C-alpha cells in the first residue's frame, strides 16, 4: 500500500523526502517516539522523521535495501530481521 503522513514534521509527519519510496508496495510501518520505518514488499526499509529517534539509517542502508522480513522499534531505535 501507500503511506500517507501528517502532523508534526519533526515527529515523522512529513515524509515528503521519501514519498516516492512510500507510494506503493508498503506492507508494514513501525514507529519510535519521533520516527517511522516502513517495510516494502521487496524487503526494503524506508525511514523518516527525527534522526535522533532512528530515522537516519544511512550507516546500515546497504543491509536494509532488500531481504528484510520484519522491523520493530522502541523509543529511539529500530531493529530489522
Amino acid at each position: 500500500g501507500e503511506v500517507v503522513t501528517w502532523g508534526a514534521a519533526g515527529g515523522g509527519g512529513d515524509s515528503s523526502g521519501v514519498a516516492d519510496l512510500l507510494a506503493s508496495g508498503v506492507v508494514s510501518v513501525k514507529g519510535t517516539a519521533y520516527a517511522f520505518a516502513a517495510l516494502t514488499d521487496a524487503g526494503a526499509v524506508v525511514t523518516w522523521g527525527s534522526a535522533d529517534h532512528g530515522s537516519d539509517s544511512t550507516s546500515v542502508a546497504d543491509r536494509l535495501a532488500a531481504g528484510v522480513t520484519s522491523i520493530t522499534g522502541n523509543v529511539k531505535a529500530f531493529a530489522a530481521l
Side-chain angles (χ1 to χ4, degrees):
E2 176 184 11
V3 174
V4 178
T5 60
W6 62 93
D14 179 8
S15 59
S16 60
V18 292
D20 57 326
L21 301 174
L22 301 174
S24 65
V26 175
V27 295
S28 70
V29 178
K30 302 291 183 175
T32 61
Y34 299 101
F36 289 100
L39 179 62
T40 72
D41 55 8
V45 177
V46 180
T47 57
W48 71 97
S50 169
D52 291 339
H53 289 83
S55 77
D56 183 0
S57 56
T58 55
S59 66
V60 292
D62 59 326
R63 299 175 74 186
L64 300 177
V68 176
T69 58
S70 67
I71 51 178
T72 191
N74 62 21
V75 176
K76 287 193 164 189
F78 290 103
L81 178 64

